[in-house]
Amino acid sequence: MRRQSAVICLDLGGSFIKLGVMNAQDQLILLDQHKIPATSWDDFTALVRRMIAQHHLQFTASSAVAISTAGIVAPETGEIFASNIPAFHQHSLANELGALLQRQVIVHNDADCFTLAEALAGAGKGHKVVFGAILGSGVGGGLVADGRIITGQNGLTGEWGHGPITLTEVEIGGVVRRLPRKACPCGQKGCLDSYGGARGLENLHQTLHDRTASSVEIIECWQQQDALAQQTVQAWLQIVGQPLAYTINITGASRVAVGGGLASVAPLIAALDEVVQGYVLRRTAHRLVVPGEFAHHGGMMGAALLALQNTHSL
């Protein structure tokens, strides 16, 4: 039976809160955006209520709220662990915000939501197992199988950016270079996050060449055949490509959809795919690693699709 109610979509990031709607035609429309009140629960909930009220004509009384959020969502309690956003850190958004809004609220991690959007409607459509590789300021991930998000222990699945897995040696132009295992804010040492995302690329450039440059500058110089930038990207491809291939071997993913800022650099993702194809147990005829189709609002779209899977009111 065709649903009649729209889905209210919220994306909660470290800096902004975005409001959107997925209408009855499954179109996602961005409605509003504000700087998130990062420290006050009362200010945060007041802003959410105000944003929804201002756009109430887009919804119905039965519209559920689908939230894509930074941080970890505990599967048993719904408690959010997002230490960089104290406003809702250790709050159960589904229960507490649901009571305030008098609506059904569904909450999930943003990387997982992105992966679900890609698996159901984007670059991973038609694939049984899809891995979402987030290469933004840091490294994150999500896993979808048979159209469902795989949620593991403590809400953690697909976190390939953390754990002591970073290479300590890379080969650049036939010369082996040693790399220090850097301390990670997660508390471990040697995480891929230290060298893998945009900030990691900058760290790697500084480590290899003792030069400071932004990830945008490094990528631009790489595309212009600059020698130092080429060395940095060559090392980055090894550092990121090996654990990504390992992740594919473990999960059985036949498509990796890349999100985050680095996903917008098509030649970089194509180069990453070529490296990964060389490391996986069986090379595929099709591309394994591709840019995601929902780089900007994949979290909100995935949250809305999750709401459609889990709510009985639509």
Side-chain angles (χ1 to χ4, degrees):
M1 184 175 179
R2 184 64 179 171
R3 65 188 176 92
Q4 299 298 319
S5 181
V7 180
I8 303 168
C9 306
L10 290 171
D11 183 78
L12 309 179
S15 301
F16 293 96
I17 178 171
K18 299 177 184 177
L19 172 71
V21 59
M22 179 174 275
N23 60 26
Q25 291 73 45
D26 292 342
Q27 297 171 318
L28 180 66
I29 302 168
L30 184 65
L31 299 174
D32 209 349
Q33 175 175 305
H34 288 277
K35 186 174 178 59
I36 195 167
T39 59
S40 169
W41 168 255
D42 290 339
D43 290 347
F44 165 72
T45 55
L47 176 58
V48 170
R49 297 175 74 174
R50 186 165 66 250
M51 291 172 73
I52 292 176
Q54 287 173 345
H55 297 276
H56 70 278
L57 295 178
Q58 301 284 343
F59 320 121
T60 69
S62 63
S63 292
V65 179
I67 298 178
S68 164
T69 181
I72 300 168
V73 183
E76 300 85 3
T77 64
E79 189 176 4
I80 309 294
F81 294 90
S83 57
N84 61 326
I85 315 176
F88 56 80
H89 177 55
Q90 295 186 310
H91 283 269
S92 175
L93 285 182
N95 295 329
E96 296 178 58
L97 198 57
L100 287 171
L101 298 175
Q102 291 296 291
R103 295 179 183 273
Q104 183 171 12
V105 176
I106 295 166
V107 184
H108 216 89
N109 168 264
D110 50 6
D112 290 339
C113 289
F114 163 81
T115 307
L116 184 65
E118 294 295 339
L120 296 182
K125 188 175 182 179
H127 290 263
K128 180 180 176 66
V129 181
V130 177
F131 185 74
I134 308 301
L135 295 172
S137 56
V139 178
L143 182 66
V144 168
D146 294 321
R148 297 281 176 175
I149 294 172
I150 304 300
T151 302
Q153 182 182 6
N154 298 323
L156 290 171
T157 304
E159 289 293 344
W160 66 303
H162 294 279
I165 60 173
T166 303
L167 289 177
T168 55
E169 292 183 349
V170 292
E171 186 174 319
I172 305 173
V175 178
V176 174
R177 295 285 303 272
R178 293 194 61 83
L179 296 172
R181 297 173 70 82
K182 292 184 177 291
C184 180
C186 78
Q188 300 197 66
K189 191 174 183 179
C191 293
L192 176 63
D193 196 78
S194 300
Y195 290 127
R199 302 293 81 77
L201 183 65
E202 295 164 0
N203 289 338
L204 183 59
H205 195 70
Q206 175 71 38
T207 299
L208 291 174
H209 309 301
D210 196 25
R211 294 194 180 188
T212 300
S214 71
S215 59
V216 173
E217 292 169 337
I218 295 167
I219 294 298
E220 287 179 350
C221 290
W222 170 66
Q223 292 178 308
Q224 295 167 4
Q225 307 297 310
D226 174 79
L228 295 184
Q230 285 190 309
Q231 291 176 15
T232 297
V233 172
Q234 184 181 353
W236 183 88
L237 290 169
Q238 294 173 61
I239 292 169
V240 174
Q242 289 191 19
L244 185 53
Y246 187 47
T247 299
I248 292 169
N249 287 341
I250 290 174
T251 62
S254 60
R255 175 54 53 86
V256 175
V258 183
L262 294 180
S264 64
V265 188
L268 182 68
I269 304 307
L272 180 59
D273 177 65
E274 186 61 29
V275 169
V276 168
Q277 291 274 14
Y279 289 132
V280 291
L281 287 174
R282 185 178 179 186
R283 189 180 183 95
T284 64
H286 64 272
R287 282 189 61 178
L288 275 171
V289 185
V290 299
E293 295 182 14
F294 302 113
H296 297 296
H297 305 306
M300 280 199 295
M301 175 166 284
L305 293 171
L306 183 64
L308 296 180
Q309 288 182 341
N310 289 279
T311 179
H312 300 294
S313 63
L314 298 177

